[in-house]
Amino acid sequence: MNLPDKVTLVEVGPRDGLQNQSHTLTPAERVEFIERLSQAGLSQIEAGSFVSPTQIPQMANTDQVFAGLKSNDAVRYFALVPNLQGLEAAIDAGVKDIAVFTAASDTFTHKNINCSIAESLDRIALLMPVAQQTDLRVRGYVSCTLGCPYEGEIHPERVAEVAKALVDLGCYEISLGDTVGMGTPEQARQMIRTVSRQVPLPMLAAHFHDTYGQALANLYAVLQEGITVIDSAVAGLGGCPYARGASGNVATEDVLYMLNGLGIETGVDMNALLAANHYVCSRLDHINHSKVAAVLQPLHP
Ligand code: HMG
Ligand code: MG
């Protein structure tokens, strides 16, 4: 079977997970959550975003979150930024790794960031030289890669075109989002095959939401295609405020359980991850969405 020996898990719970919760955590609670995730061995964690606090109040005060994080050479903490204003705030907060985002659907992009795909790429082009002068690493997201809640079907060629545009602008990795979790395994496989004709496979990551319960099956299909970077959120937290019906990201615990079973190395400790799940669920009115965490209990919560 064609599967990788090693996979990097990118934990997006503190950003994608918390941005859609009805209860907003304090910066101190967000820091505690992130520290627990790093103690679990997660080496890449999206810690927050510098977006409009009117639109996403849950992510306000992300500067205080970065100020509260202990520096740890083993972990990269990302901030999501939509424009130059967000980048400048991230730089002021001492952020070293940022993520920029656009989509393969114009309608979704308008709802999400109030502009077209082309305009969003212009905004990214504007911030890129500043990010490069500051030695920031820039990850790129493409949303709606397996379907759009407004436009329906999205052609994989369109996804490839947008992913390539982000690489040409200077992104080192492109995370391909199934934002509303609509996709199915063969569709995910074909999308990766199409995109990898434009962007080399080692530069691609899978960012799948689990709305229709397909995320693990989709991940298994794309692992077979050579994907080695997976985004996930502990407790299956998440959802995009601009994608009606989008439930959480695939749960990190469930992905880890699958990868452990396949003998794929991640460096992540299940028990410590369960402790992070326990912490964040106790602070939110969120029902745990990880099937694995519903069965396994942490030894030392
Ligand atoms: P806009 O209204 O078009 O921007 O919003 P504007 O430039 O006209 O500015 C309007 C106001 O926003 C101004 O304030 C700006 O200062 C302020 P005012 O003068 O009215 O007081 N503003 C900002 N404030 C803080 N930080 C900033 C910033 N920029 C402008 N960076 C904007 C454009 C992008 C800002 C807005 O639409 C926004 O913040 N949207 C939220 C987007 C978001 O966070 N979406 C969720 C994340 S994406 C996602 O979840 C998908 C992903 O997970 C992948 C997947 O699943 O597919 C990544
Ligand atoms: Mg997402």
Side-chain angles (χ1 to χ4, degrees):
M1 203 174 358
N2 188 20
L3 287 170
D5 298 331
K6 225 174 148 177
V7 158
T8 301
L9 292 178
V10 180
E11 173 64 39
V12 295
R15 194 280 302 171
D16 206 344
L18 297 184
Q19 74 183 9
N20 204 29
Q21 298 297 319
S22 50
H23 178 73
T24 299
L25 296 191
T26 64
E29 288 172 322
R30 289 164 65 189
V31 168
E32 174 70 25
F33 175 36
I34 295 164
E35 295 290 358
R36 284 172 181 252
L37 292 166
S38 57
Q39 281 157 20
L42 288 153
S43 59
Q44 299 193 31
I45 302 175
E46 205 166 73
S49 59
F50 291 91
V51 298
S52 161
T54 316
Q55 305 228 21
I56 315 275
Q58 298 88 338
M59 289 291 108
N61 305 315
T62 288
D63 55 339
Q64 292 176 30
V65 173
F66 274 87
L69 289 171
K70 289 190 209 104
S71 98
N72 181 344
D73 288 343
V75 187
R76 288 166 58 187
Y77 296 113
F78 292 79
L80 189 77
V81 305
N83 53 17
L84 189 56
Q85 187 174 336
L87 175 70
E88 283 166 350
I91 291 171
D92 287 347
V95 174
K96 299 273 183 286
D97 287 272
I98 62 160
V100 295
F101 56 111
T102 182
S105 152
D106 260 318
T107 315
F108 177 81
T109 312
H110 271 288
K111 303 263 184 204
N112 195 21
I113 48 175
N114 197 23
C115 65
S116 65
I117 298 169
E119 286 163 339
S120 73
L121 293 170
D122 289 345
R123 288 180 187 178
I124 295 167
L126 209 65
L127 67 78
M128 224 27 134
V130 182
Q132 281 158 353
Q133 281 154 24
T134 324
D135 285 334
L136 300 190
R137 282 168 294 205
V138 186
R139 189 171 198 244
Y141 281 106
V142 184
S143 288
C144 301
T145 64
L146 296 176
C148 169
Y150 308 102
E151 294 185 10
E153 192 187 345
I154 297 289
H155 293 290
E157 288 76 13
R158 183 71 178 127
V159 180
E161 200 182 306
V162 178
K164 172 82 164 53
L166 286 174
V167 170
D168 290 346
L169 287 172
C171 293
Y172 71 91
E173 184 170 278
I174 306 300
S175 179
L176 299 162
D178 183 11
T179 317
V180 268
M182 295 164 82
T184 50
E186 283 311 312
Q187 190 193 357
R189 188 192 302 283
Q190 291 309 328
M191 185 271 289
I192 294 296
R193 283 187 186 169
T194 307
V195 176
S196 65
R197 281 183 217 120
Q198 301 288 334
V199 178
L201 256 177
M203 293 178 77
L204 299 178
H207 176 109
F208 294 165
H209 287 249
D210 199 30
T211 318
Y212 291 80
Q214 303 296 300
L216 277 185
N218 293 346
L219 285 175
Y220 188 64
V222 303
L223 282 169
Q224 290 176 324
E225 292 303 308
I227 289 290
T228 57
V229 182
I230 294 175
D231 299 0
S232 59
V234 76
L237 289 168
C240 180
Y242 302 97
R244 190 171 50 83
S247 75
N249 291 83
V250 65
T252 310
E253 302 88 327
D254 299 1
V255 177
L256 181 63
Y257 185 86
M258 179 176 80
L259 296 177
N260 285 345
L262 292 168
I264 298 173
E265 199 190 312
T266 59
V268 179
D269 176 70
M270 179 66 87
N271 190 56
L273 198 58
L274 294 170
N277 169 311
H278 194 268
Y279 175 80
V280 76
C281 289
S282 71
R283 293 294 179 283
L284 292 167
D285 41 7
H286 174 79
I287 302 159
N288 160 55
H289 287 158
S290 159
K291 286 199 182 298
V292 168
V295 182
L296 302 178
Q297 293 297 315
L299 294 176
H300 305 290

